[in-house]
Amino acid sequence: MHLHVHRWFVRISLSVLALSFPIGSSFAQNVPAPEEVLGHEVGADYKLATYEQAVGYFKALDQASPLLQVFEMGETSMGRSQIYAVISSEENMAKLDKYKEISNRLARAKGLSEDEARRLASEGKAIVWIDAGIHATECAPAQAFLQLAYDLLTSKDADTKLILENTIILLVFANPDGMTLVADWYLPNVGTPFETSRMPWLYHHYAGHDNNRDSYMNNLKETRNITRLATREWNPVVFYDHHQTAPFPARIWIPPAAEPTNPNLHPLFLREKNLIGAAMGDAFDREGKKGAISRFVFDFVYPGYEDSFIDFFNIVSIMTETALYRYATPHFYTVDDFPDAYKDFTIGVFYPSPWEGGWWRLKDAVDYANTASKAVLHTAAIYRERFLFGRYLMGKQTIEKFQDQPPYAWIVPRDQWDVPTAARMLDNLAFAGIEVYEADAKFTSSGITYPAGTWIVPMDQAFSRFVKAIFEEQSYPDLTKYPTLWQGIVAPQSFDDSYLPPYDMAGWTLPHQMGVKVRPAEEPLSVSMSQLETVQPPAGSVEHGRHAYLISPKANNSFIAANRILRNGGEVLRARESFNSKGELFPAGTWIIPSKSMTKAAMNEISHELSLAIRGTDKSPSIDTETLKKPRVALYKSWTASMDEGWTRWLLEEYEFEFTNIVDSEIKAGELWKRFDVLIIPSMRTERIIDGHKIGSIHPKYVGGISESGVRNIKEFVKQGGTLVTLRRGCFFALDKLGLPITDALKGMRPPRRRYGAAPAKSTDVKFACPGSVLRMEFNQEHPVAYGMPKEAPAMFYQGTAFNLSPSFSEGDTRVISRYPGGELLISGYLKGGEHLNGRAAAIDVSLGQGRVILLGFGVKQRAQPHGTFKLLFNSLFYGASY
C-alpha cells in the first residue's frame, strides 16, 4: 500500500572514486573514510546511513583496495540486490575459491582421513561470517560495518595483520530493505516530537522481527540467500550474528547463553562458542567498556533463529545483543532508571564490570559492536587451524555416531496425505546442504517394506544433527528439575511449583507441522540409493473426463489450482459430501471443474506445475455441491505493525489469493460488505486493534486504531452477510467486542506476560502453559473450513486458546471445526494443564446475522510453517465467499 522512496543517495560517484583512489602498494592511504562518503562519522547522533549509502561506500572500498571485494547474493523481498563484502589479505583474496573448497571439504568430513584433514586445516583460512541488521531498528551493527571495514583495510597494527592473514571475513547485510525503511522513517522525524516513534510498518516486508525465526523454513528471500551462502558456498567456521537488545542495564549480552541447551549440539561446538564469548568479555574489559553480561535471558534451544540454525552445521555461531535506545537518538540514564538488583553495581562471574549509567549514544553501540567483531576475528585468527580441524572433527564424529546408533536414517514414504508438501520439506533440506536420497529398489526396515523411489535422509552425514533436531519430537526440559544447570550458586534451590519458560518455542517438530509422515530407521539400511540435488514430487497427471475434472482437497497446491482456474474464468464447484467415481473415494471438499470451462491444455499446465493428480469423470456426481466465486478478501493492517499480518500476506501471495490490505480509516468508514466477502483479523491484542498508537506518540496520520465505531462497522459487516476470520489472539477481539456467547476457556490461567530484562521475575505457579508446542487435534471433515484435513492431525499451539460454548447457543448457531481430544495432547514441546483443553473447541464457526465469524484459535499458519493446517485459513476464504 505504501511505497517507501529512498531519500538519501550515495554522494560520491563510483567512477570518480575509481580515479581518485588507485590501487597500489600504498592503497591504505587511498581508502576513503566513511565520513568522506556519508558526510558524517559513523555513529553520529541523529544520523543513519541507508542501505544504498552503505552499498555505495562498500563499492568505493572495492575500487580503492585489493583487500575488499563486493559480491551479490540475491534479491530481497522488496527487490533490492543483497550484497556482502569479503575482506582478507591480498594473497588470500587471490585464492578465495581454494579456501572455499578447503572449508567445504573439512565441513563435509566424509571420505577425508584425519591426516588429510590436518593438512587442510594447516593450509586453510578461517572463514568468518559477520552479519548485521536483520532486525533493522537495531541500527548500530549495520552502521558499524562501515567503520569496521575501514579499520580492517587501513589499520597497520599486529592484530589486524594477523586477522587479514589468517581469516577471510564476510560482512553481510542481513536485511537491506529494513535498513533503508528505518532510515527513511527516522531521519525526517529528527527534531520533531516524533523523533523516536515506532515505525508504523514492519521492518521486514513480510516478517518483521520474525525474519529471525525463518531459518529452517527458508520462506523469505533473504533467508534463502543467507542459507545458500553459509551452508553450501562458503561454509564458515565462525558465524557471528549482531543484534541490539541487551538486557537492561547491561550494555552488551555475550555468550555463554541461558539454559536449556539443545541436546543435539556437539559438545565441541559449545566449548568453542564459549571460548569466543570469553574472548569478547576479555576485549571489553581490556578496553574499559563496561556492562558485558552473559548466561541469562537468551537461550538457543529453538533451531529457527539464524544463528541457532547454523549451530547444527557444526559452525561456531555467536550472537550478541548490544544496548539500544532508539535509532540514532542519544539518551542519558541514571541509577534511578536501573532495576533494584543492579543499583548497587554488585559484580558477578557473568557480569564482572557493571555499567554505572550515563549517556548512551549510537556511537557507543557502534564501538561496542566493533569491539565484539574484532574479538571474534582475533580469536578466529589465533585458533584458525584448531577451528578448521574442529569443524572436521565435529562432522566426522557425527557421521560415526549415526553409523553406530539410531536413527540410522529418516524414511519418508511417497504415500503422503499431501505429497507436494512432503517434497517441499525435503527439498528445503537439500537446499540447506543436507544429503537427501531416493531408494533405487524396494527395501525393508523394521518389518515394513518400502517401494523404490522412497525418500531417505541418511544420518551418517556431517550435518545430520540438524535433521534430528527438526525431525524428532521435542521434550522441553522442566528446568525446575535441573537447578544445577542454571542457578550458578553454592546451594541450588528448588522451584518445584514454578513455570520456567523458554525464550521462544518449546516444540517445533517439522514433519508434524507440515503434515508429513516420517519414520526413523532403527536399524542400518541395506538399500542402493541415489542422491537428489533437488527433491521433486511425483509428476502431475491429468485424466480427461467428458463432464468434469476432479482435484483432491488434500494437497495445499489444490488451492493454487482453484485460484488460477477462477482467475482465468473457469468454473469451480466443491463437493459438500464424499462420493465415489470410477471406484475411487473423493472426500468432501473435492474441487469439481466442469470440463467445458477449462481447456485440456490449461489443466495439463496446472497439473504439471503444481504436481497434482487430476482425475476425470464422464458424468455428474449425485451429490450436493457449492459453486465458488473468487473471494473478495480484506486483510486488516494496523499501524501498530503486526508480524502475523505480514506472514498472512506472504502466505496469501504464495498461494495466489487476491486480497486487499485495509487500514483503520477504511474500517471506520464502514460499508465493508459492499467491497469484501471476508475480513481477516490477524493475531493482535484487542487494545492494539481498537486504540492503536496513542496521541503524541507518533505522527497524527498513524494515531489510533479502528475505534469503537470500527467495531460497530465490523459487526455490521458480518450481519450483512460478511465473514470475519480471526487468527489466534485476534479471536479475543471477536470474543470481547462482538457479543458472541463464547468464552475463552483459558482466561485467568495463562502465565503473565514476560518482559525480557534484568529485573528478576517472581516465581509463579500457573494452571496452564504451552509455549509454542505441537498438540493433537481432531477435525470435523464435513465442515467446509476443514475440507481436506485428516480426522486427527498435529497442530501448532502458540499464544492460542480454546473455546467454551454457551448453553444458550442452538445447534444452528455454531459449529465446531476442530477440537482438542481427550487424553494426552502433547506431541512435541511442553504442556502444563492440558486438561483445560481436553474436549474444548479450537476452531469454531459462529453465525451472526446473515454472516459468520470463524475463530481459528491456534496457530494454523504460525510463521508460515505449519503447512498441515494452512487449509483452515484457505478454506475459510472460499467458505466466506460462498455464504
Side-chain angles (χ1 to χ4, degrees):
M1 176 180 295
H2 293 271
L3 297 176
H4 307 290
V5 181
H6 315 320
R7 299 186 178 92
W8 304 91
F9 301 91
V10 178
R11 301 179 182 178
I12 293 184
S13 163
L14 297 183
S15 60
V16 172
L17 284 166
L19 295 173
S20 302
F21 306 109
I23 296 173
S25 60
S26 60
F27 64 85
Q29 299 173 10
N30 300 319
V31 173
E35 56 267 25
E36 295 176 53
V37 176
L38 302 177
H40 61 81
E41 292 186 354
V42 174
D45 291 348
Y46 313 110
K47 302 290 185 181
L48 290 177
T50 64
Y51 175 67
E52 286 70 26
Q53 286 180 295
V55 171
Y57 181 62
F58 271 63
K59 288 186 175 180
L61 297 180
D62 190 335
Q63 294 282 345
S65 172
L67 307 189
L68 182 148
Q69 187 173 352
V70 173
F71 295 89
E72 293 189 356
M73 56 192 291
E75 190 178 67
T76 70
S77 295
M78 295 178 71
R80 288 178 173 84
S81 174
Q82 187 171 10
I83 66 103
Y84 66 103
V86 178
I87 300 173
S88 194
S89 71
E90 193 167 0
E91 182 181 357
N92 292 344
M93 293 296 289
K95 302 176 183 177
L96 291 180
D97 287 341
K98 170 186 175 179
Y99 294 124
K100 280 186 189 179
E101 178 60 22
I102 289 174
S103 192
N104 182 61
R105 290 187 65 191
L106 290 169
R108 295 283 174 181
K110 189 174 289 187
L112 197 62
S113 71
E114 188 166 318
D115 287 344
E116 179 68 3
R118 289 191 183 280
R119 184 187 68 78
L120 289 174
S122 174
E123 185 180 347
K125 304 299 179 183
I127 298 174
V128 180
W129 174 297
I130 306 178
D131 72 36
I134 190 168
H135 293 156
T137 50
E138 300 169 11
C139 304
Q143 304 292 313
F145 266 8
L146 309 183
Q147 189 66 50
L148 177 62
Y150 177 76
D151 291 350
L152 290 170
L153 298 185
T154 60
S155 297
K156 300 297 185 181
D157 60 274
D159 284 352
T160 302
K161 185 174 184 293
L162 180 72
I163 287 169
L164 292 175
E165 289 179 350
N166 286 277
T167 72
I168 296 170
I169 306 147
L170 278 61
L171 300 183
V172 182
F173 291 94
N175 181 7
D177 297 336
M179 188 174 178
T180 292
L181 286 171
V182 169
D184 281 354
W185 169 253
Y186 171 72
L187 294 173
N189 285 331
V190 169
T192 76
F194 314 117
E195 181 173 297
T196 59
S197 59
R198 293 180 180 273
M199 281 205 314
W201 39 77
L202 297 170
Y203 54 66
H204 180 278
H205 184 59
Y206 294 110
H209 200 79
D210 270 353
N211 62 353
N212 194 35
R213 306 294 188 273
D214 184 51
S215 288
Y216 63 65
M217 292 302 295
N218 286 299
N219 284 322
L220 305 174
K221 288 183 177 180
E222 298 85 351
T223 312
R224 295 182 70 80
N225 294 339
I226 289 169
T227 296
R228 186 186 68 254
L229 257 67
T231 65
R232 287 165 51 195
E233 181 174 344
W234 283 95
N235 273 296
V237 292
V238 177
F239 185 105
Y240 178 19
D241 174 28
H242 276 280
H243 288 261
Q244 200 184 358
T245 314
F248 187 74
R251 296 297 86 191
I252 189 168
W253 182 95
I254 60 176
E259 299 294 351
T261 299
N262 192 296
N264 293 297
L265 293 172
H266 194 291
L268 183 58
F269 160 84
L270 295 169
R271 298 295 188 185
E272 293 182 349
K273 180 171 185 162
N274 293 341
L275 171 67
I276 294 178
M280 284 179 165
D282 178 83
F284 284 114
D285 288 331
R286 285 178 184 273
E287 295 179 15
K289 292 183 170 77
K290 295 184 176 183
I293 200 167
S294 302
R295 209 166 183 260
F296 84 128
V297 178
F298 302 106
D299 71 45
F300 294 92
V301 68
Y302 174 56
Y305 314 128
E306 183 187 38
D307 48 340
S308 60
F309 162 76
I310 290 294
D311 292 355
F312 298 98
F313 292 80
N314 305 321
I315 299 170
V316 182
S317 69
I318 304 295
M319 184 200 78
T320 58
E321 295 271 2
T322 309
L324 168 71
Y325 178 57
R326 294 175 190 170
Y327 310 113
T329 297
H331 189 73
F332 189 85
Y333 295 93
T334 71
V335 176
D336 290 340
D337 298 317
F338 288 17
D340 289 342
Y342 292 82
K343 288 183 177 180
D344 59 3
F345 312 127
T346 298
I347 72 168
V349 171
F350 296 106
Y351 193 44
S353 50
W355 189 60
E356 298 173 1
W359 281 104
W360 189 253
R361 302 179 183 276
L362 179 64
K363 182 63 164 63
D364 295 314
V366 163
D367 290 345
Y368 271 62
N370 281 342
T371 291
S373 290
K374 291 175 183 178
V376 170
L377 294 172
H378 189 253
T379 307
I382 292 173
Y383 292 97
R384 172 190 62 82
E385 188 171 341
R386 192 175 188 87
F387 281 176
L388 284 165
F389 186 74
R391 182 90 191 276
Y392 160 78
L393 203 58
M394 286 187 274
K396 176 178 179 288
Q397 291 176 357
T398 298
I399 292 169
E400 292 170 347
K401 173 184 174 75
F402 292 111
Q403 287 174 337
D404 293 336
Q405 66 183 59
Y408 295 94
W410 295 88
I411 301 168
V412 185
R414 293 207 179 207
D415 178 21
Q416 298 283 342
W417 188 267
D418 181 351
V419 181
T421 292
R424 180 171 183 158
M425 181 187 76
L426 292 173
D427 190 56
N428 199 30
L429 292 184
F431 178 80
I434 300 298
E435 297 171 13
V436 180
Y437 294 76
E438 66 177 4
D440 296 329
K442 70 177 182 179
F443 66 97
T444 300
S445 177
S446 298
I448 301 174
T449 300
Y450 298 92
T454 296
W455 291 307
I456 300 170
V457 184
M459 289 295 286
D460 60 342
Q461 54 179 302
F463 305 154
S464 60
R465 292 173 184 271
F466 170 65
V467 182
K468 186 169 181 286
I470 62 171
F471 271 25
E472 70 181 1
E473 294 173 353
Q474 285 75 50
S475 178
Y476 185 81
D478 180 356
L479 289 178
T480 62
K481 297 178 180 178
Y482 313 104
T484 55
L485 282 182
W486 54 276
Q487 289 187 19
I489 55 178
V490 174
Q493 304 297 305
S494 173
F495 291 86
D496 292 340
D497 295 328
S498 297
Y499 167 58
L500 303 177
Y503 186 79
D504 198 278
M505 305 282 284
W508 52 82
T509 308
L510 193 57
H512 288 329
Q513 287 199 69
M514 298 186 75
V516 178
K517 292 184 298 184
V518 302
R519 297 191 182 104
E522 300 295 339
E523 56 191 32
L525 295 181
S526 178
V527 59
S528 172
M529 53 188 177
S530 301
Q531 187 174 351
L532 302 172
E533 293 299 319
T534 62
V535 182
Q536 301 296 327
S541 60
V542 180
E543 177 187 282
H544 299 284
R546 291 191 301 271
H547 175 71
Y549 299 99
L550 307 176
I551 303 177
S552 169
K554 292 182 178 181
N556 288 340
N557 280 359
S558 70
F559 290 90
I560 301 177
N563 283 324
R564 290 183 182 178
I565 293 167
L566 289 171
R567 188 166 60 248
N568 291 319
E571 188 178 357
V572 180
L573 296 81
R574 295 201 85 172
R576 287 181 167 172
E577 54 192 288
S578 60
F579 64 96
N580 278 281
S581 177
K582 298 181 181 180
E584 184 175 353
L585 179 64
F586 290 85
T590 294
W591 312 91
I592 303 174
I593 298 92
S595 299
K596 63 182 180 181
S597 74
M598 290 294 288
T599 65
K600 291 182 179 180
M603 294 305 292
N604 284 335
E605 182 178 344
I606 286 172
S607 171
H608 172 73
E609 292 183 0
L610 302 178
S611 302
L612 293 174
I614 300 176
R615 303 288 186 249
T617 179
D618 295 331
K619 60 182 181 179
S620 175
S622 300
I623 55 168
D624 191 15
T625 61
E626 180 74 37
T627 300
L628 301 186
K629 64 176 183 177
K630 279 199 304 183
R632 301 176 301 164
V633 177
L635 172 60
Y636 172 58
K637 187 173 186 177
S638 168
W639 295 126
T640 60
S642 161
M643 289 183 289
D644 196 61
E645 180 276 327
W647 281 122
T648 305
R649 184 164 21 95
W650 182 90
L651 193 63
L652 296 181
E653 291 177 8
E654 184 79 359
Y655 285 86
E656 301 184 16
F657 283 91
E658 296 178 5
F659 67 97
T660 302
N661 267 129
I662 62 171
V663 296
D664 299 323
S665 59
E666 293 173 270
I667 291 181
K668 288 189 284 189
E671 299 190 344
L672 296 172
W673 71 88
K674 294 182 179 180
R675 299 172 58 197
F676 304 110
D677 303 307
V678 181
L679 170 60
I680 304 172
I681 300 291
S683 182
M684 298 177 64
R685 294 193 299 275
T686 300
E687 61 269 24
R688 287 179 59 195
I689 297 171
I690 296 175
D691 300 328
H693 291 292
K694 295 180 180 180
I695 294 174
S697 67
I698 197 170
H699 190 282
K701 179 179 179 180
Y702 306 110
V703 166
I706 67 171
S707 74
E708 292 297 337
S709 66
V711 174
R712 291 191 293 271
N713 289 337
I714 289 176
K715 193 169 186 177
E716 185 63 19
F717 163 75
V718 177
K719 288 186 173 181
Q720 291 289 338
T723 294
L724 177 67
V725 179
T726 58
L727 303 176
R728 287 195 297 115
R729 289 184 296 180
C731 295
F732 300 129
F733 166 80
L735 297 183
D736 296 341
K737 294 295 179 178
L738 300 187
L740 305 178
I742 301 175
T743 58
D744 171 17
L746 302 178
K747 189 172 184 178
M749 298 184 187
R750 298 178 181 84
R753 282 186 66 201
R754 290 170 292 158
R755 295 189 178 276
Y756 298 105
K762 291 184 177 180
S763 171
T764 56
D765 180 25
V766 297
K767 295 180 180 179
F768 176 86
C770 187
S773 298
V774 182
L775 306 182
R776 291 172 52 224
M777 191 168 289
E778 294 176 345
F779 296 89
N780 177 3
Q781 295 174 299
E782 302 303 314
H783 191 286
V785 173
Y787 282 163
M789 290 297 298
K791 185 175 181 180
E792 182 173 309
M796 173 56 67
F797 188 100
Y798 183 83
Q799 298 176 344
T801 192
F803 304 106
N804 287 323
L805 309 184
S806 168
S808 66
F809 257 77
S810 66
E811 194 170 320
D813 291 331
T814 181
R815 295 173 66 191
V816 172
I817 300 165
S818 66
R819 72 170 70 247
Y820 302 99
E824 178 60 45
L825 296 176
L826 181 65
I827 297 175
S828 179
Y830 178 93
L831 175 63
K832 181 177 183 178
E835 66 273 13
H836 300 294
L837 296 178
N838 288 140
R840 289 181 168 83
I844 193 165
D845 171 14
V846 185
S847 297
L848 183 63
Q850 299 178 53
R852 57 167 60 91
V853 180
I854 298 173
L855 300 100
L856 303 177
F858 62 99
V860 298
K861 42 143 279 300
Q862 171 65 14
R863 295 172 176 162
Q865 296 182 10
H867 288 242
T869 53
F870 285 174
K871 296 180 187 71
L872 275 77
L873 174 60
F874 299 159
N875 280 326
S876 296
L877 306 184
F878 281 116
Y879 181 47
S882 66
Y883 187 64

